[in-house]
């Protein structure tokens, strides 16, 4: 593990306009007691998320003390995350761990802090633990060698909520471009990893058939759609209205896209919600639709 750049006591530092306030976390594994989510614990090496997606409702969680106005403008690295995880690894026997429910584990600052990487190294030493890693960023490729060491114990999920990078620039202005995500997906698959794509929360699509084709040709093993959930009085509603994208709130639109995308992958075997990352000899193509909310980074609760 690289030495952290900051200590707990260090004052906030600006990394290219990002306010970084490291902390010593009190806990790192958050139990997920609802079987439908398919993992026993959530693990978030950071609080806050520099991707700052405009629909992200983590911005309203109680831990987001900065309020939603500067969501995406601050990140709190949990500097002791790997050590905490190591001390609690006894909980992880035959469990699945999800990274991350309330942050992107490969947001840009991971390049400096390597907390996700350090946590993964701990998880690698837990031989019965499965790992579900979910991101929007090609930065995940910096850990490719480490990820390969997990073998069948690891599934990588990519959120690609739209096929149109113009839409992405409005709804996720600080997150990586859509073509970069597909390129990363393809590299991961080529390296032998099991990769799923989540069109979630579903945003406006220009060519859903083309999106489905891209998924099939890239060799991913799952593709699913999840609908958007707005906060109360969510300013994101105005963004949708201004751009004439309110259809993403229409269940019929979501169903239509879901039908197109899920029809693209032949079902080899249905995964189970309880155990979607179960080791298997063959890649598992699931038509699984995760429970709501379906954006893994937006599951209820915080890490
Ligand atoms: S949706 Fe995910 S990637 Fe986007 S800001 Fe929220 S936690 Fe970060």
């Amino acid at each position: 593990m690289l030495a952290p750049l900051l200590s707990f006591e260090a004052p906030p530092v600006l990394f290219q306009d990002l306010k970084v306030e490291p902390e010593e976390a009190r806990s790192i594994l958050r139990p997920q007691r609802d079987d439908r989510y398919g993992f026993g614990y959530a693990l978030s090496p950071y609080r806050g998320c520099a991707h700052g997606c405009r629909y992200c409702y983590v911005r309203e969680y109680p831990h987001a003390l900065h309020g939603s106005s500067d969501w995406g403008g601050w990140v709190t690295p949990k500097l002791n995350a790997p050590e905490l995880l190591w001390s609690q690894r006894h909980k992880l026997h035959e469990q699945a761990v999800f990274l991350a429910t309330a942050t992107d584990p490969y947001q840009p600052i991971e390049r400096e802090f390597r907390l996700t990487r350090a946590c993964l190294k701990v998880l690698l030493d837990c031989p019965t633990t499965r790992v579900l890693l979910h991101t929007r960023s090609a930065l995940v490729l910096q850990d490719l060698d480490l990820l390969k060491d997990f073998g069948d114990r690891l599934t990588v999920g990519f959120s690609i909520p739209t096929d149109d990078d113009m839409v992405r620039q409005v709804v996720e202005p600080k997150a990586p471009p859509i073509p970069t995500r597909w390129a990363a997906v393809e590299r991961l698959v080529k390296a032998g990893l099991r990769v799923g794509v989540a069109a979630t929360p579903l945003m406006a699509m220009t060519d859903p058939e083309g999106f489905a084709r891209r998924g099939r040709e890239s060799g991913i093993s799952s593709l699913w759609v999840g609908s958007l959930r707005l906060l109360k009085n969510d300013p994101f509603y105005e963004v949708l209205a201004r751009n004439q994208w309110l259809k993403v709130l229409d269940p019929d639109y979501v169903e239509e896209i879901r039908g197109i995308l899920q029809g693209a992958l032949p079902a080899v075997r249905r995964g189970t919600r309880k155990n979607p990352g179960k080791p298997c000899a063959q890649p598992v193509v699931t038509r699984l639709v995760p429970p709501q909310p379906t954006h893994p980074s937006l599951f209820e609760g915080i890490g």
Side-chain angles (χ1 to χ4, degrees):
M1 172 177 49
L2 291 182
L5 298 183
L6 301 173
S7 68
F8 304 130
E9 294 78 25
V13 167
L14 280 179
F15 278 84
Q16 296 167 342
D17 293 336
L18 183 71
K19 197 193 235 181
V20 178
E21 299 172 286
E23 71 173 8
E24 183 171 11
R26 288 193 302 275
S27 63
I28 192 65
L29 288 171
R30 185 177 190 283
Q32 173 52 263
R33 296 197 173 85
D34 187 338
D35 273 357
R36 293 174 305 155
Y37 287 100
F39 57 89
Y41 289 95
L43 194 176
S44 296
Y46 301 91
R47 284 195 298 119
C49 183
H51 286 165
C53 304
R54 294 176 73 181
Y55 51 72
C56 179
Y57 58 76
V58 179
R59 67 201 138 119
E60 286 294 337
Y61 280 177
H63 78 303
L65 296 176
H66 303 255
S68 58
S69 57
D70 68 344
W71 178 245
W74 60 273
V75 174
T76 292
K78 302 176 184 175
L79 293 187
N80 58 339
E83 290 75 17
L84 262 183
L85 183 59
W86 177 254
S87 70
Q88 295 175 19
R89 67 192 187 285
H90 58 278
K91 297 180 179 174
L92 299 179
H93 182 61
E94 295 188 345
Q95 289 287 341
V97 176
F98 190 99
L99 284 84
T101 48
T103 190
D104 191 315
Y106 285 102
Q107 60 183 297
I109 203 168
E110 168 64 13
R111 192 177 279 119
E112 324 293 341
F113 280 81
R114 305 283 175 119
L115 291 173
T116 296
R117 181 180 176 82
C119 288
L120 286 172
K121 282 185 171 176
V122 174
L123 294 172
L124 190 59
D125 281 339
C126 302
T128 63
T129 303
R130 288 169 290 114
V131 176
L132 309 167
L133 190 58
H134 197 92
T135 186
R136 282 167 168 68
S137 174
L139 194 57
V140 63
L141 294 170
Q142 78 179 3
D143 287 339
L144 188 53
D145 286 345
L146 178 60
L147 300 183
K148 285 199 293 199
D149 289 343
F150 278 88
D152 273 345
R153 287 201 286 134
L154 176 86
T155 302
V156 180
F158 253 84
S159 272
I160 308 183
T162 175
D163 59 342
D164 185 341
D165 203 59
M166 299 294 280
V167 175
R168 194 277 309 163
Q169 285 172 40
V170 175
V171 301
E172 304 176 345
K174 297 195 216 166
I178 302 301
T180 311
R181 296 186 212 181
W182 277 115
V185 164
E186 285 159 6
R187 268 197 65 191
L188 290 168
V189 171
K190 208 170 272 180
L193 273 69
R194 183 167 54 225
V195 184
V197 166
T200 177
L202 181 65
M203 293 291 131
M205 287 257 184
T206 304
D207 176 14
E209 286 83 5
F211 188 95
R213 210 165 35 248
R214 183 86 190 249
R216 188 175 59 240
E217 289 170 3
S218 68
I220 57 173
S221 47
S222 65
L223 180 58
W224 69 82
V225 175
S227 42
L228 173 70
R229 277 181 34 172
L230 289 176
L231 301 171
K232 199 171 166 206
N233 303 320
D234 199 325
F236 191 63
Y237 184 90
E238 271 311 305
V239 176
L240 294 177
R242 209 177 315 125
N243 289 281
Q244 300 181 329
W245 295 332
L246 285 175
K247 63 184 177 186
V248 303
L249 299 174
D250 179 350
D252 289 344
Y253 178 72
V254 176
E255 270 316 305
E256 181 194 330
I257 303 294
R258 181 174 287 148
I260 293 169
L261 300 197
Q262 292 183 346
L265 297 183
V268 173
R269 178 164 79 74
R270 259 184 193 277
T272 66
R273 287 180 173 178
K274 205 166 181 181
N275 212 359
K278 190 176 177 195
C280 54
Q282 299 269 330
V284 178
V285 177
T286 69
R287 293 183 174 196
L288 176 66
V289 179
Q292 300 297 318
T294 47
H295 181 327
S297 293
L298 300 177
F299 285 146
E300 299 291 1
I302 57 173

